[in-house]
Amino acid sequence: MKKSNQKDIFHVHTYRCRHAANVADEMYVKKAIELGAVSITFTDHAPFPGNPFGNRMDIQQLPEYLQSFNSLKEKYQNVIEVKTGLEIEYLPGFQYYYECLKKSGQLDVMMIGQHFYEYADNSYNFSLPREELQKKEAGGLCKAVMAGMKTGLFQVIAHPDRMFRYCGSWDKGMEQMSEELIKTALKYDITLEQNLSSMKTADYYRHEFWDLVPVSSKTRIGIDAHEVNQLEEIEEYY
Ligand SMILES: [Zn+2]
Ligand SMILES: [Zn+2]
C-alpha cells in the first residue's frame, strides 16, 4: 500500500443514492476537516437519463447535487478542497450522456464503477440467471471497463479487482485480464482505485491484482464511504 503525507479523502457517497446515511453533504466536509484532510472528493452513484437503474439519485436530482458541492467549494475554499465527481458504469448506449457530463465542466472526476454491463442488444447482465451471471461477470465487466477507458472520458477506475469476486482462487485467466486492464489504464493515464470497502469483503480485494501494478501506474485509496464515520478509516493509511 502506497502511503502519502497528504490526506485526500476520495470516493464519498451521499444520501441521494438511497443506500447511504441520511445526512447533509456538509457533515462529510466537516468530518474531513476534523481529520486534517486537504481534500474531499464526492463520487455518488451517477443517475442515467430516464432513471432506468435503482440504488442511485434520479436524473432530476443531478443539478441540485452539483450545486450542493459548488456551494461547499465556495464556503470552505480556504479550509479544504471540495471536489465533485460521479461513480458511473460504462454502458456504450449512453455514450452521448458521458460526453454531455464531461462537456458540462461541472465535474472534477468521472470514475468508472462498473457494477453491471450492457450487451449489444441494449440488455444488461443483471437479467441473467444467477449462476450464468456469476460465471460471466468478470469477463463482461473487464470488457466494459476496457471500452470505457478507451473513450478518454474517465480519470479513475473504482475497485478494478472487484470484478473477480465470483472467480474463486486466482488463475492465469484472471492474471491476463488484470494485465490488460493495468496496461490500458497506464496508456490512458487512468488511476486505479484501491477500495477500502472491498478489503472488508471476502474475494472483493485481490492482492494478486495489485501485485501486478507497476510503480509507474497511478493508484489511489478510495474509502467508498456511505456514512460520515467511515471517513475515519483514512487514518489507517496515513
Ligand atoms: Zn453505494
Ligand atoms: Zn462507490
Side-chain angles (χ1 to χ4, degrees):
M1 192 74 63
K2 273 186 207 160
K3 302 228 174 194
S4 145
N5 34 19
Q6 285 218 321
K7 258 189 220 170
D8 291 303
I9 289 180
F10 182 76
H11 196 156
V12 178
H13 290 277
T14 80
Y15 67 90
R16 298 172 190 79
C17 72
R18 302 167 194 180
H19 58 275
N22 192 21
V23 296
D25 303 332
E26 189 170 12
M27 300 301 284
Y28 289 97
V29 177
K30 285 186 169 165
K31 185 72 179 182
I33 295 168
E34 190 188 307
L35 291 166
V38 295
S39 77
I40 177 167
T41 307
F42 289 88
T43 54
D44 209 357
H45 299 283
F48 281 87
N51 303 320
F53 313 118
N55 259 339
R56 58 194 65 222
M57 69 182 94
D58 285 344
I59 191 77
Q60 292 79 2
Q61 289 173 279
L62 186 58
E64 181 276 325
Y65 173 77
L66 299 171
Q67 181 48 46
S68 171
F69 302 113
N70 285 337
S71 310
L72 291 169
K73 273 175 206 255
E74 206 178 301
K75 182 166 179 184
Y76 291 97
Q77 59 181 325
N78 299 319
V79 189
I80 189 168
E81 190 182 2
V82 177
K83 297 188 202 176
T84 316
L86 286 172
E87 176 177 19
I88 191 163
E89 289 79 5
Y90 180 68
L91 311 167
F94 287 96
Q95 180 67 23
Y96 75 96
Y97 174 53
Y98 306 116
E99 286 167 11
C100 287
L101 288 174
K102 177 95 175 178
K103 272 193 217 130
S104 76
Q106 298 249 55
L107 292 163
D108 301 307
V109 185
M110 279 171 59
M111 171 167 76
I112 296 183
Q114 200 73 39
H115 303 101
F116 55 88
Y117 59 93
E118 183 182 7
Y119 286 112
D121 65 357
N122 297 108
S123 66
Y124 301 99
N125 74 308
F126 52 68
S127 317
L128 295 174
R130 190 162 182 81
E131 205 177 312
E132 198 184 343
L133 180 145
Q134 295 189 352
K135 214 173 108 201
K136 293 180 174 170
E137 190 186 70
L141 293 180
C142 185
K143 222 172 118 186
V145 169
M146 294 287 291
M149 286 197 278
K150 290 174 184 173
T151 65
L153 293 165
F154 306 95
Q155 299 81 51
V156 185
I157 308 298
H159 46 68
D161 48 338
R162 197 183 288 184
M163 64 175 63
F164 302 119
R165 62 183 175 162
Y166 297 128
C167 293
S169 46
W170 194 258
D171 64 20
K172 200 75 201 156
M174 290 152 80
E175 185 174 310
Q176 280 168 359
M177 280 161 69
S178 300
E179 276 173 345
E180 207 186 335
L181 196 146
I182 292 162
K183 201 175 72 192
T184 308
L186 198 55
K187 182 174 167 193
Y188 288 87
D189 198 30
I190 293 170
T191 300
L192 301 170
E193 182 215 37
Q194 292 180 296
N195 187 283
L196 296 193
S197 169
S198 286
M199 291 177 197
K200 287 180 268 176
T201 310
D203 291 337
Y204 273 40
Y205 184 87
R206 299 286 189 150
H207 70 85
E208 296 93 339
F209 175 91
W210 296 103
D211 289 347
L212 296 169
V213 177
V215 282
S216 50
S217 288
K218 282 188 183 169
T219 62
R220 71 175 309 156
I221 297 287
I223 299 184
D224 211 348
H226 289 76
E227 57 172 294
V228 173
N229 284 342
Q230 278 179 304
L231 300 192
E232 289 168 10
E233 290 170 21
I234 200 73
E235 297 284 24
E236 294 167 39
Y237 295 91
Y238 288 89

